Amino acid sequence: MTSLPENNQSKTGKTGQPQGNPLFPVFLKLNQLHTVLIGAGNIGLEKLAAILQNSPEAKVTVIALTIIPEVYALATESEAVSIVQKSFADTDLDEADIVVAATNNPELNDFIRASARSRRLLVNIADKPDLCDFYLGSIVQKGDLKIAISTNGKSPTIAKRLKEVLNEALPDELDTTLQQMSRLRDTLSGNFADKVKALNEITSVLVSGQVTKNDNNGD
Ligand SMILES: C[C@@]1(CC(=O)O)C2=NC(=C\c3[nH]c(c(CCC(=O)O)c3CC(=O)O)Cc3[nH]c(c(CC(=O)O)c3CCC(=O)O)/C=C3\N/C(=C\2)[C@@H](CCC(=O)O)[C@]3(C)CC(=O)O)/[C@H]1CCC(=O)O
Ligand SMILES: NC(=O)c1ccc[n+]([C@@H]2O[C@H](COP(=O)([O-])OP(=O)(O)OC[C@H]3O[C@@H](n4cnc5c(N)ncnc54)[C@H](O)[C@@H]3O)[C@@H](O)[C@H]2O)c1
């Protein structure tokens, strides 16, 4: 992707590491967690679609006063999604593990955030960075490979464009390589350090630069 004009050089911090996005990425098993999604308009639909595209078996309860037909249609594709047509109440979070809100009411958003935090639940209020404990990312997927992109909220549009660039650039064969490596990993014997060494030697052809010291720590 080409830079826009006046692109500044990235800064580095005290440790020499690049400064910038301080968010810590994680990959959640939403089929084992209960997501409560409040709001079922266009933005609620986008969030539900993003959840189900990534985690088709995600357990989601959608709570909203009005529900657009597309949300019903999407919900029928998954047994783990249920829809409750009602006004949001604090107790709707009693069984929740994680909360995503997409309502058109700023006071309600504040109330949902307060309800979630009082239960120590992580909450995302769509498009309201100040109210979020976490952001949704733009996702590139090739089989078992998944890359999540965040711009630290600076430009979701760039996250989306970068996803498109990477989707084009990454070969579909990458997943074949992943499956082969997974099988090979299962067949390797010896101690942990030997296995890590073997796996790094086999994959060294994938990178043009030198093997770094971190390649041997097995994390
Ligand atoms: C990645 C993605 C994931 C997803 O939502 O699934 C995502 N937004 C996507 C698209 C998108 N969102 C918006 C546009 C219109 C263009 C524009 O405004 O830029 C487009 C582009 C489009 O639709 O074309 C509107 C928007 N979004 C936020 C604000 C508020 C603000 O910035 O202050 C406003 C203005 C609202 C207004 O003006 O009222 C905020 C957030 N949006 C985030 C995620 C989080 C930061 C992620 C990061 O760190 O980069 C964060 C902070 C919180 C959150 O919502 O989680 C998804 C890409 C899907 C894909 O890959 O295709
Ligand atoms: N639609 C867009 O393209 C867009 C783009 C950027 C930002 N936004 C913002 O995102 C927010 C959501 O947008 P939208 O288009 O999905 O709105 P929407 O009006 O279509 O949907 C809002 C949802 O919130 C629900 N809701 C409201 N009060 C409720 C309550 N007390 N209890 C339960 N549910 C309740 C409604 O029933 C509805 O399902 C808005 O604040 C909007 O300004 C929308």
Side-chain angles (χ1 to χ4, degrees), residues 29-88:
K29 296 185 178 179
L30 286 190
N31 59 322
Q32 296 178 21
L33 298 168
H34 178 206
T35 304
V36 173
L37 169 64
I38 305 113
N42 286 321
I43 301 296
L45 174 67
E46 273 184 22
K47 302 305 161 189
L48 183 62
I51 289 170
L52 293 176
Q53 263 159 29
N54 281 282
S55 302
E57 293 176 15
K59 283 190 278 177
V60 185
T61 301
V62 180
I63 293 169
L65 277 171
T66 56
I67 294 136
I68 61 172
E70 293 89 339
V71 169
Y72 277 118
L74 197 53
T76 56
E77 290 172 23
S78 167
E79 283 180 10
V81 177
S82 53
I83 296 181
V84 187
Q85 187 164 19
K86 70 186 281 292
S87 182
F88 175 80

Side-chain angles (χ1 to χ4, degrees), residues 149-189:
I149 303 165
S150 162
T151 66
N152 197 18
K154 293 292 187 292
S155 174
T157 304
I158 289 293
K160 182 181 77 173
R161 290 301 186 205
L162 193 52
K163 170 192 77 178
E164 291 165 0
V165 169
L166 290 177
N167 257 328
E168 282 286 310
L170 293 173
D172 291 336
E173 294 74 35
L174 210 48
D175 189 52
T176 311
T177 306
L178 267 189
Q179 304 311 326
Q180 287 168 344
M181 284 300 293
S182 175
R183 282 195 294 274
L184 178 70
R185 188 176 189 244
D186 291 341
T187 63
L188 287 177
S189 52

Side-chain angles (χ1 to χ4, degrees), residues 4 11 53 63 84 95 139-142 164 174 178 190 210:
L4 293 174
K11 297 173 191 151
Q53 263 159 29
I63 293 169
V84 187
E95 305 296 323
I139 307 298
V140 181
Q141 183 155 10
K142 299 268 167 175
E164 291 165 0
L174 210 48
L178 267 189
Q210 283 186 326

Side-chain angles (χ1 to χ4, degrees), residues 110-124:
D110 289 339
F111 179 64
I112 293 168
R113 180 177 166 78
S115 301
R117 295 311 294 140
S118 71
R119 290 169 161 75
R120 298 191 169 273
L121 298 172
L122 298 182
V123 60
N124 172 282

